[in-house]
Amino acid sequence: MTQAAKILYTARTHTSGGRHDGISRSSDGRLDLKLSTPGGAGIGTNPEQLFAAGWSACFEGAMEIAARTRSVELPRKRAIDAEIDLVLDEGGYSLRARLSVSLPGLDRQIAQGIIEDAHQTCPYSKAVRGNIDVTVALI
């Protein structure tokens, strides 16, 4: 981190039990979740769902910044469908991701530019770049 870098926020959680009937709680109490394995019979969410929700929310924020830079107003009914695959192959476990972005009523070329800018600036996109297969598409 550079000297000029400023920490804007630090998320703190405590997790126990992992994917198998675990729990995860944030230090401020706003997050209090039961965890379960993906596709399992347990009640609760799983890390892949949490990652999909976090990334899509962050990506939408990055799109807002990109749109503002271009003096474009994003449509109210914008949406992102995020899919995170948990993959097992001969190399072990990995993730694969797809973000399907809906910007109804926006010129396709402008929308594509906003999405590309957002994918370059979104912290989640930066974190996974070069590490997992990612597809970001305008739908």
Side-chain angles (χ1 to χ4, degrees):
M1 191 159 53
T2 67
Q3 255 184 334
K6 177 183 173 185
I7 296 172
L8 300 177
Y9 176 76
T10 300
R12 291 181 178 87
T13 62
H14 177 82
T15 301
S16 62
R19 294 173 180 272
H20 305 285
D21 298 320
I23 58 156
S24 190
R25 292 188 179 104
S26 63
S27 59
D28 63 6
R30 291 181 175 190
L31 180 77
D32 189 355
L33 299 170
K34 292 180 187 263
L35 301 171
S36 62
T37 55
I43 55 172
T45 189
N46 61 64
E48 291 72 28
Q49 290 171 330
L50 293 169
F51 189 63
W55 191 357
S56 58
C58 185
F59 198 91
E60 189 165 331
M63 287 192 320
E64 289 170 1
I65 293 168
R68 211 172 20 250
T69 300
R70 294 168 176 257
S71 299
V72 172
E73 188 173 331
L74 290 179
R76 287 191 61 203
K77 296 201 176 208
R78 63 187 174 266
I80 301 171
D81 293 322
E83 297 175 276
I84 305 295
D85 299 325
L86 177 60
V87 179
L88 176 61
D89 62 19
E90 58 275 349
Y93 291 100
S94 64
L95 298 175
R96 184 174 50 209
R98 289 171 304 289
L99 300 179
S100 299
V101 181
S102 174
L103 295 170
L106 206 56
D107 174 84
R108 190 155 184 86
Q109 189 173 359
I110 291 170
Q112 190 62 49
I114 289 169
I115 290 168
E116 289 169 8
D117 289 352
H119 192 43
Q120 292 305 308
T121 60
C122 172
Y124 279 74
S125 293
K126 287 181 179 182
V128 301
R129 187 167 290 122
N131 296 313
I132 67 172
D133 290 332
V134 176
T135 303
V136 180
L138 175 62
I139 56 170

